[in-house]
Amino acid sequence: MSMTIPFLDLKATNHSYRDELVAACARVIDSGWYIAGNELSQFENEFTQYCGTKHCIGVANGLDALVLTLRAWKELGKLKDGDEVIVPANTYIASVLAITENNLVPVLVEPDATSLNLCPQNVKASITAKTRAILPVHLYGQLADMPAILAIAQQHGLLVLEDSAQAHGASIDGRKAGNWGDASGFSFYPGKNLGALGDAGAITTNDDELAQTLRAIRNYGSHEKYKNLYQGVNSRLDEIQAAMLSVKLKYLDEQTAHRRQIAQIYMNGINNPLITLPLSVNDSPLTFESHVWHLFVVRCKNRDALQKHLADHGVQTLIHYPIPPHKQQAYPAWNALSFPLTEAIHQQVLSLPLGPAMALADVEETVRIINKFGT
Ligand SMILES: *Cc1c(COP(=O)(O)O)cnc(C)c1O
């Protein structure tokens, strides 16, 4: 079946900046310097300014950004094996992998039923004597309720690590994703809102000591050539990808504006009673600024039929995500656990086409096809 409306056209997205990307690539090739050079420092500075944080540390990917931050806190004596980290049960598996990779214990909690983000009440109810950190995920591009989460963290002396992999530029009261927690992990996977042309990630933080530790851990544990403070890893954001990201960061806000325009058309246009729209601006104390629409996720009890209906009309959709972490084979000890809301979400969600290069006419067409579903 040929899809006339693709879920996300990455080729077209990057094609808009092709000349600049090619020029940046040539600049790196001709520089003769390919790892840990000016392109990386420049991108780190630019992303620092963009997020409003003091530091940005480029790493190889988004998973490493989370893994290495928790690892750094262990090196700094702020976390130890067996400590509990509260995380939403409906997150992408990477958030959970980062916790278990560090011999920490994920405490899965049901999300807020409307926003599908971490629910502050459930966080409170899950705190034990072993809780040391909270890992909120800004799922689908919307900031979690960070004011409430930070208040809880402060009250209980907990670290906060944001998973901002889907939320570059999302903000509440002008304070952006990446500048709420003690640290924040970003992914620049090609399909993310700020995407490289390969793998890349970064950590943002305002903590000097953490930043210094992370700079060493990503580079074999070395803060100074041939001296190793930690048993570190090799997790670097290379010069070519840093150069690609510097080009694309300039256009991020423009792309976000386009994503919001698409979301608004879906919000205003979809009126099929079988479909639940994502949290709307007016339903929440949060504002439209808090959402950068990485994904436009609707819910439908008859999700698979809806997906087939759209496919039959040439509209490509995806499911984020079909299986929650606790039901994965990778975590057999959790398979019998019950998270009814999380499980219902995984059975009901469907992500509609949305991207920087999507034509608004295709959004209107998708709306028409959705509104015909079930009639
Ligand atoms: C993409 C993603 C990650 C991991 O990023 P990679 O760069 O693919 O390693 C982590 N958390 C969330 C929520 C993500 O969407």
Side-chain angles (χ1 to χ4, degrees):
M1 162 102 247
S2 87
M3 297 290 177
T4 48
I5 302 183
F7 177 73
L8 171 66
D9 190 344
L10 269 183
K11 186 173 157 179
T13 299
N14 287 324
H15 199 269
S16 331
Y17 317 112
R18 191 178 182 282
D19 291 348
E20 270 190 85
L21 292 170
V22 169
C25 214
R27 184 175 71 231
V28 177
I29 292 169
D30 295 344
S31 77
W33 194 283
Y34 307 113
I35 293 279
N38 293 337
E39 301 287 345
L40 176 61
S41 342
Q42 183 168 335
F43 173 69
E44 286 178 338
N45 281 336
E46 289 163 357
F47 201 61
T48 288
Q49 276 168 30
Y50 184 79
C51 295
T53 56
K54 208 163 158 193
H55 303 282
C56 168
I57 302 100
V59 293
N61 55 65
L63 174 59
D64 276 4
L66 300 171
V67 170
L68 299 182
T69 302
L70 294 171
R71 168 75 194 279
W73 280 333
K74 289 182 80 180
E75 297 291 353
L76 292 169
K78 296 190 172 182
L79 291 176
K80 60 176 188 318
D81 285 7
D83 283 349
E84 292 179 356
V85 181
I86 295 174
V87 64
N90 62 319
T91 186
Y92 178 57
I93 191 120
S95 332
V96 180
L97 289 171
I99 299 170
T100 55
E101 167 76 18
N102 278 289
N103 297 318
L104 300 164
V105 178
V107 173
L108 305 172
V109 301
E110 292 270 43
D112 173 81
T114 315
S115 70
L116 309 189
N117 266 331
L118 193 56
C119 168
Q121 282 75 21
N122 293 349
V123 170
K124 253 190 216 165
S126 306
I127 293 174
T128 72
K130 286 187 158 185
T131 310
R132 290 290 173 273
I134 308 175
L135 204 165
V137 182
H138 308 313
L139 202 63
Y140 306 146
Q142 180 167 44
L143 273 179
D145 188 349
M146 293 311 291
I149 291 165
L150 288 197
I152 297 169
Q154 253 152 32
Q155 197 186 341
H156 296 268
L158 307 175
L159 293 164
V160 175
L161 172 56
E162 303 171 68
D163 182 340
S164 303
Q166 302 187 359
H168 319 72
S171 67
I172 299 175
D173 293 337
R175 187 170 170 187
K176 286 200 173 107
N179 194 14
W180 287 86
D182 296 286
S184 173
F186 284 91
S187 165
F188 307 121
Y189 177 80
K192 299 288 158 85
N193 285 31
L194 177 59
L197 276 69
D199 271 316
I203 300 115
T204 54
T205 181
N206 293 311
D207 181 334
D208 297 342
E209 193 186 31
L210 176 67
Q212 205 183 4
T213 307
L214 281 165
R215 287 183 194 286
I217 290 178
R218 73 171 174 185
N219 186 37
Y220 312 112
S222 174
H223 64 305
E224 197 182 312
K225 209 164 188 178
Y226 304 124
K227 283 194 180 173
N228 297 75
L229 269 178
Y230 311 105
Q231 295 172 25
V233 299
N234 175 348
S235 180
R236 298 184 293 218
L237 201 179
D238 66 71
E239 292 287 282
I240 294 253
Q241 294 309 333
M244 301 297 97
L245 288 165
S246 285
V247 170
K248 293 188 69 183
L249 181 57
K250 289 191 290 178
Y251 302 103
L252 178 59
D253 286 345
E254 205 173 292
Q255 292 189 343
T256 300
H258 188 70
R259 287 175 183 276
R260 287 186 173 137
Q261 221 177 337
I262 293 170
Q264 197 72 70
I265 294 172
Y266 280 140
M267 285 291 205
N268 296 343
I270 298 174
N271 55 21
N272 189 322
L274 300 173
I275 287 160
T276 306
L277 291 168
L279 178 70
S280 89
V281 205
N282 303 325
D283 292 340
S284 158
L286 309 179
T287 68
F288 211 55
E289 295 304 303
S290 73
H291 211 321
V292 292
W293 302 100
H294 172 56
L295 297 170
F296 191 92
V297 177
V298 297
R299 277 182 280 173
C300 177
K301 291 229 164 69
N302 211 351
R303 188 262 320 273
D304 295 344
L306 173 63
Q307 185 168 39
K308 182 173 182 305
H309 168 82
L310 283 159
D312 288 346
H313 289 82
V315 179
Q316 186 187 19
T317 57
L318 293 178
I319 296 168
H320 298 92
Y321 299 92
I323 307 172
H326 74 279
K327 291 292 184 193
Q328 297 286 354
Q329 254 188 312
Y331 292 112
W334 305 341
N335 290 174
L337 296 180
S338 167
F339 293 97
L341 176 56
T342 293
E343 287 155 33
I345 290 167
H346 287 72
Q347 280 156 20
Q348 294 173 3
V349 289
L350 190 67
S351 307
L352 304 183
L354 186 157
M358 187 176 183
L360 298 184
D362 284 349
V363 187
E364 305 276 10
E365 178 61 13
T366 304
V367 167
R368 271 192 294 276
I369 295 166
I370 288 180
N371 285 341
K372 279 192 297 197
F373 173 65
T375 60

